[in-house]
Amino acid sequence: MDDLRELYQTVILDHNKAPRNFGELEDPDRQADGHNPLCGDRLTLHLQLDENDRVVDVKFSGQGCAISTASTSLMTEYALGKTKDEILATKALFHELVTGNPNEEGSTDGLGKLAVFGGVREFPARVKCATLAWHTMEAALNNDEQPATTE
Ligand code: ZN
């Protein structure tokens, strides 16, 4: 388990240091802002969707802590090529993983690389850092006018 934890740490640190899909789209179909007041994480998500609500391009910008930046980076990597329904289903699984009972091991079925955030449930103060990206993604997919917030 310790080896796995170390591997997870490495993935999170790597995505924080070199976030994937960082930047902006010139003419996004959808755009949403997210804010986690608890930690101060802020991000803007840009999406390009095809006619089936499939994400064909995604970028994010903003400033956040290591967990929030890595979570957004990994989420954008995951979301590329996925449909709205697939992404919202995974959001529910991810939410369950990071908010579950800290004394139990969460299920990582269907989460792939996103499983690296399984340890976050042991740190309630960081849960919102990990979920901000997903709240913002949902707001963008639903075309919400209001910025997404973890509060
Ligand atoms: Zn944070």
Side-chain angles (χ1 to χ4, degrees):
M1 190 60 212
D2 283 350
D3 284 355
L4 193 58
R5 258 170 216 276
E6 243 168 67
L7 171 71
Y8 284 179
Q9 287 265 325
T10 308
V11 172
I12 290 171
L13 290 174
D14 172 51
H15 276 262
N16 175 50
K17 217 167 78 181
R20 318 301 196 265
N21 304 306
F22 194 82
E24 294 179 355
L25 294 177
E26 248 175 48
D27 191 18
D29 293 323
R30 301 285 173 82
Q31 173 171 351
D33 295 319
H35 182 213
N36 171 19
L38 199 68
C39 176
D41 311 312
R42 278 184 190 281
L43 66 95
T44 300
L45 199 63
H46 285 178
L47 297 182
Q48 210 75 50
L49 301 174
D50 72 6
E51 66 278 12
N52 300 314
D53 271 354
R54 187 180 293 279
V55 174
V56 290
D57 207 355
V58 52
K59 294 268 188 216
F60 78 100
S61 57
Q63 198 134 45
C65 67
I67 297 279
S68 116
T69 302
S71 178
T72 313
S73 173
L74 277 149
M75 181 202 66
T76 58
E77 214 176 51
Y78 160 81
L80 202 56
K82 303 287 195 306
T83 63
K84 175 180 175 179
D85 288 348
E86 288 171 328
I87 293 168
L88 293 183
T90 301
K91 175 185 185 270
L93 292 176
F94 185 82
H95 203 260
E96 224 170 270
L97 175 68
V98 297
T99 59
N101 183 340
N103 299 314
E104 288 170 19
E105 200 77 20
S107 165
T108 56
D109 289 352
L111 285 172
K113 258 200 214 174
L114 301 167
V116 296
F117 293 99
V120 168
R121 62 164 64 191
E122 292 169 41
F123 306 95
R126 310 317 297 274
V127 167
K128 289 171 176 175
C129 302
T131 56
L132 176 65
W134 293 87
H135 289 301
T136 311
M137 175 57 95
E138 187 169 31
L141 289 169
N142 289 334
N143 225 355
D144 290 343
E145 298 280 320
Q146 294 293 323
T149 171
T150 52
E151 295 306 303

